[in-house]
Amino acid sequence: MSTATLLDDRCPRCGQAFHCGAQDARCDCFDLKLSEALRQQLAAQYERCLCIACLKALQQAEQAGTTAAE
Ligand SMILES: [Zn+2]
């Protein structure tokens, strides 16, 4: 298993290439304080991680009181 920080993942929401560091020591998404509800929704909706841009967008949408579902 490579630990190289390549853009080896593709966001299932927007198709943007990115690297998820969840399998590494740290990931950018650790800085995002996603709610438990949003995490569960994402886990149910997507098989893979989303890029940071989408995570931030969904987080802001949730905080704005709108549904994060597309
Ligand atoms: Zn994305």
Side-chain angles (χ1 to χ4, degrees):
M1 296 304 116
S2 172
T3 56
T5 54
L6 301 171
L7 298 178
D8 49 5
D9 291 312
R10 193 166 289 279
C11 175
R13 183 170 180 269
C14 70
Q16 183 85 20
F18 75 109
H19 174 78
C20 175
Q23 307 304 318
D24 303 339
R26 101 170 247 104
C27 177
D28 287 344
C29 67
F30 291 177
D31 292 332
L32 294 174
K33 299 293 189 290
L34 300 181
S35 70
E36 189 62 29
L38 182 54
R39 285 180 188 275
Q40 291 181 1
Q41 179 186 333
L42 293 177
Q45 192 169 358
Y46 303 105
E47 291 184 14
R48 309 182 62 175
C49 286
L50 303 187
C51 69
I52 294 301
C54 281
L55 291 177
K56 285 183 177 177
L58 291 169
Q59 180 186 41
Q60 290 176 358
E62 184 186 56
Q63 290 176 346
T66 60
T67 176
E70 294 238 334

